[in-house]
């Protein structure tokens, strides 16, 4: 069996690894299966024809309500957010040369959490009623996350540090944001504190199609940016000295990847809340099962696997002890923790 297929014409020359391509097709099939399970499983189990009819606006009104209004938004939102966090984690691990680096190291996730809790604390009256629409919360989380990233970049510029300094500043900003978030939860009404705790655990239970429509172009932009960066991904696995010796700019590459990871993380967590372990776990798994895969195919594998894990975790969380729903952030933490224990055990 040939290991590579070479596509060459007058405009381009591309070498496509056969095994990685087959793995990509397998991931696409699994993604479709997980999305179907997310649309079909719940209080009412739906068959594939019933799900298909509901998507096309046919069938019983109750089934259309289940699929299009309740399950479809959280399915798409969790899948896209998981893919974005997976890509952001891959960028972080490339820039730091550390397979356990996480996109949360930029401080963006905790800054976004601060914005969300600030929104819940400020826009509540003395009776605990919201004085602003709840749909505005992702905007506050996004703005706060971008401000946090801007603060990290500004401090890193003043100190004139590199990638390591960037991460240390990000951790410092994250600790500060966590402290302020805890203070706001203490002084806020109990009801709002419960809402804040739910958001901080990572949840897609309140997802709507408006949020999905906002995240779709951001998800597509993430894939496009990752594909455009794919030519330097293999170079980034080399040592800084080697990168500079072949004409690359290691410092510039690291900074671009760190900034991009922070922006992607800000957009993802502003709609779902902090979802742990995905950014660390997904690139680690892909590195294990496809060690010789680079470039566009590896990025697509990471994006698909991130979506599969987060969407699958949401399905498990809302069905395993129904009608109680476990937030997707808690489920991904449990799955990620178990997976890492297995990896560490196998490596002795």
């Amino acid at each position: 069996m040939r290991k590579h297929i070479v596509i060459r014409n007058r405009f381009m020359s591309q070498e496509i690894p056969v095994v990685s391509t087959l793995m990509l097709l397998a991931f696409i099939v699994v993604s479709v299966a997980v999305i179907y399970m997310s649309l079909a499983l719940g209080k009412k189990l739906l068959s594939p024809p019933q799900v298909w009819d509901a998507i096309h606006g046919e069938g019983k009104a109750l089934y259309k309500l289940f699929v299009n209004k309740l399950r479809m938004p959280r399915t798409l939102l969790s899948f896209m957010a998981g893919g974005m966090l997976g890509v952001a984690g891959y960028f972080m691990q490339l820039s730091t040369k550390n397979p356990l680096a996480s996109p949360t190291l930029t401080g963006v996730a905790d800054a976004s959490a601060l914005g969300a809790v600030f929104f819940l604390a400020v826009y509540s009256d003395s009776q605990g009623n919201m004085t602003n629409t709840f749909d505005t919360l992702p905007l506050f989380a996004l703005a706060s996350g971008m401000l946090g990233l801007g603060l990290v970049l500004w401090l890193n510029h003043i100190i004139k540090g590199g990638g390591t300094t960037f991460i240390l500043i990000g951790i410092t900003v994250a600790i500060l944001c966590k402290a302020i978030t805890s203070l706001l939860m203490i002084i806020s009404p109990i009801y709002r504190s419960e809402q804040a705790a739910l958001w901080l655990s990572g949840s897609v239970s309140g997802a709507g199609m408006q949020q999905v429509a906002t995240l779709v172009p951001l998800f597509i932009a993430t894939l496009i940016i990752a594909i455009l960066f794919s030519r330097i991904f293999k170079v980034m696995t080399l040592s800084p000295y080697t990168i500079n010796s072949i004409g690359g700019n290691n410092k510039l590459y690291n900074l671009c990847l760190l900034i991009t990871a922070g922006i992607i993380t800000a957009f993802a967590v502003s709609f779902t809340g902090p979802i742990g372990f995905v950014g660390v776990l997904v690139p680690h798994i892909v590195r294990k099962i496809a060690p010789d895969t680079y470039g566009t195919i590896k990025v697509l594998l990471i994006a698909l696997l991130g979506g599969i894990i987060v969407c699958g975790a949401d399905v498990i969380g809302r069905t395993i002890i129904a009608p109680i729903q476990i937030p997707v952030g808690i489920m991904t933490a449990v799955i990620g923790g178990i997976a890492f224990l297995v990896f560490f055990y196998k490596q002795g």
Side-chain angles (χ1 to χ4, degrees):
M1 180 179 177
R2 297 178 61 182
K3 294 184 178 181
H4 297 85
I5 299 175
V6 179
I7 300 176
R8 183 179 293 113
N9 54 42
R10 58 183 297 186
F11 301 106
M12 61 171 289
S13 177
Q14 182 68 39
E15 187 179 67
I16 302 176
V18 176
V19 175
S20 300
T21 303
L22 294 176
M23 190 175 299
L24 178 61
L25 294 176
F27 273 37
I28 293 175
V29 172
V30 175
S31 298
V32 173
V34 171
I35 290 174
Y36 161 71
M37 291 174 58
S38 181
L39 296 176
L41 297 179
K43 185 176 181 180
K44 174 65 177 178
L45 177 63
L46 303 181
S47 64
Q50 291 172 334
V51 172
W52 183 260
D53 290 341
I55 293 175
H56 288 80
E58 302 174 357
K60 295 183 179 181
L62 182 62
Y63 296 167
K64 290 188 286 186
L65 173 65
F66 284 151
V67 173
N68 298 325
K69 298 295 183 181
L70 301 180
R71 299 175 185 174
M72 181 70 76
R74 67 187 302 166
T75 298
L76 297 178
L77 194 68
S78 61
F79 191 89
M80 290 188 293
M84 294 172 71
L85 290 173
V87 172
Y90 180 47
F91 285 2
M92 285 293 300
Q93 293 173 13
L94 274 177
S95 62
T96 61
K97 306 292 190 299
N98 185 349
L100 298 180
S102 167
T104 56
L105 294 179
T106 59
V108 171
D110 292 288
S112 297
L114 174 58
V117 175
F118 176 81
F119 171 83
L120 293 172
V122 171
Y123 289 99
S124 299
D125 57 23
S126 58
Q127 285 75 38
N129 300 315
M130 291 294 295
T131 58
N132 196 343
T133 172
F134 197 78
D135 295 336
T136 314
L137 186 146
L139 297 178
F140 271 75
L142 177 59
S144 180
M146 297 304 293
L147 286 175
L149 179 61
L151 177 61
V152 174
L153 290 172
W154 179 66
L155 292 174
N156 188 64
H157 175 71
I158 291 177
I159 300 174
K160 297 181 180 179
T164 303
T165 306
F166 181 95
I167 294 175
L168 293 175
I169 296 174
I171 294 174
T172 303
V173 171
I175 294 173
L176 178 62
C177 290
K178 284 181 179 179
I180 300 175
T181 300
S182 300
L183 177 62
L184 288 176
M185 292 182 66
I186 291 173
I187 64 178
S188 299
I190 295 178
Y191 174 65
R192 294 305 168 204
S193 297
E194 292 177 353
Q195 279 192 321
L198 177 62
W199 193 90
L200 291 173
S201 64
S203 176
V204 293
S205 59
M209 289 307 296
Q210 182 179 359
Q211 297 175 340
V212 172
T214 303
L215 197 60
V216 165
L218 303 175
F219 177 70
I220 296 175
T222 298
L223 295 181
I224 293 175
I225 292 173
I227 291 172
L228 293 176
F229 279 173
S230 63
R231 293 181 64 87
I232 67 170
F233 288 161
K234 192 170 184 178
V235 177
M236 290 298 295
T237 61
L238 304 174
S239 67
Y241 175 80
T242 305
I243 294 174
N244 293 329
S245 66
I246 62 176
N249 190 330
N250 181 70
K251 187 175 181 179
L252 178 61
Y253 292 164
N254 283 340
L255 187 60
C256 288
L257 289 176
L258 288 171
I259 294 174
T260 306
I263 294 174
I264 293 173
T265 304
F267 280 118
V269 303
S270 63
F271 291 96
T272 63
I275 298 179
F277 267 104
V278 179
V280 182
L281 181 64
V282 171
H284 195 70
I285 293 177
V286 173
R287 191 179 296 109
K288 288 290 184 181
I289 64 178
D292 298 325
T293 303
Y294 297 94
T296 301
I297 293 182
K298 186 166 189 176
V299 169
L300 294 177
L301 288 175
I302 289 172
L304 288 173
L305 183 58
I308 290 170
I309 289 179
V310 175
C311 187
D314 180 55
V315 174
I316 296 173
R318 60 186 168 88
T319 58
I320 189 171
I321 53 173
I324 299 175
Q325 297 190 20
I326 303 175
V328 65
I330 296 177
M331 290 304 305
T332 55
V334 172
I335 295 173
I338 295 175
F340 268 110
L341 289 175
V342 172
F343 285 144
F344 292 149
Y345 175 77
K346 287 185 176 181
Q347 293 179 1

